[in-house]
Amino acid sequence: MSDKVDYWLELCDEDLITAKILLQSKRLLHMGFYCHMIVEKALKAVVASKTSAIPPKIHDLEKLAVRGGIAEELSEKQRNLMDDLSPLHIETRYPEYKAKMAATLTFQKCKRLLAETEEFLCWIKELLGRLPKDTQAK
């Protein structure tokens, strides 16, 4: 299952690059969507690792955390991040919600979301033993 875990984490790394470009270009709604995708894929890496099963084709971050057995390990900050990102996955797909959701996103809020998403990804990689040796805690 190691290759499946690596697959999901590699997707996260690619999406993180895209999210940073989207933030720089002030495409905030899309950047938020990508942050959701990063957290979702990181959680799918956990599910693949912990259950040796193919992760379910769902987008609910909380359900993925439960399925991966880490829901109880999440910090309040991580739970808040998931709460902030969840509407960005679903509501950005529908025109009636898109403008409303975009109005809630400022550059500073998105900068925070991106930083917290990157922290979350690092935490997942550490949890799964996938951080490069030079960045692991001593």
Side-chain angles (χ1 to χ4, degrees):
M1 194 50 69
S2 178
D3 57 331
K4 299 287 186 200
V5 172
D6 291 337
Y7 165 80
W8 288 109
L9 293 177
E10 287 170 12
L11 290 175
C12 291
D13 291 339
E14 291 172 13
D15 287 351
L16 184 61
I17 292 167
T18 302
K20 289 178 179 182
I21 292 167
L22 290 168
L23 179 66
Q24 289 172 353
S25 63
K26 295 183 175 63
R27 294 184 51 116
L28 304 181
L29 194 59
H30 293 87
M31 191 275 332
F33 177 80
Y34 267 82
C35 286
H36 182 283
M37 296 295 289
I38 294 163
V39 171
E40 177 184 326
K41 291 171 185 177
L43 291 169
K44 288 183 177 185
V46 172
V47 171
S49 174
K50 303 281 179 154
T51 68
S52 297
I54 295 172
K57 294 178 181 177
I58 62 173
H59 309 290
D60 186 307
L61 302 178
E62 186 176 338
K63 287 181 182 177
L64 288 167
V66 169
R67 184 87 48 107
I70 64 165
E72 298 301 319
E73 297 177 47
L74 296 169
S75 68
E76 183 176 344
K77 182 178 181 180
Q78 291 167 330
R79 289 179 191 280
N80 289 339
L81 173 65
M82 289 171 38
D83 288 343
D84 286 344
L85 294 178
S86 287
L88 292 168
H89 185 269
I90 306 223
E91 294 184 11
T92 57
R93 294 178 179 223
Y94 300 100
E96 62 268 24
Y97 297 114
K98 194 172 182 176
K100 180 179 167 187
M101 185 56 57
T104 69
L105 298 175
T106 64
F107 184 82
Q108 287 301 349
K109 179 178 181 177
C110 287
K111 189 174 175 183
R112 176 186 59 81
L113 289 174
L114 182 58
E116 290 179 12
T117 297
E118 191 165 12
E119 288 173 21
F120 185 90
L121 178 57
C122 287
W123 178 73
I124 292 292
K125 286 180 177 181
E126 186 175 356
L127 189 70
L128 297 175
R130 295 298 203 284
L131 276 179
K133 298 218 183 283
D134 62 338
T135 60
Q136 290 181 358
K138 306 234 190 271

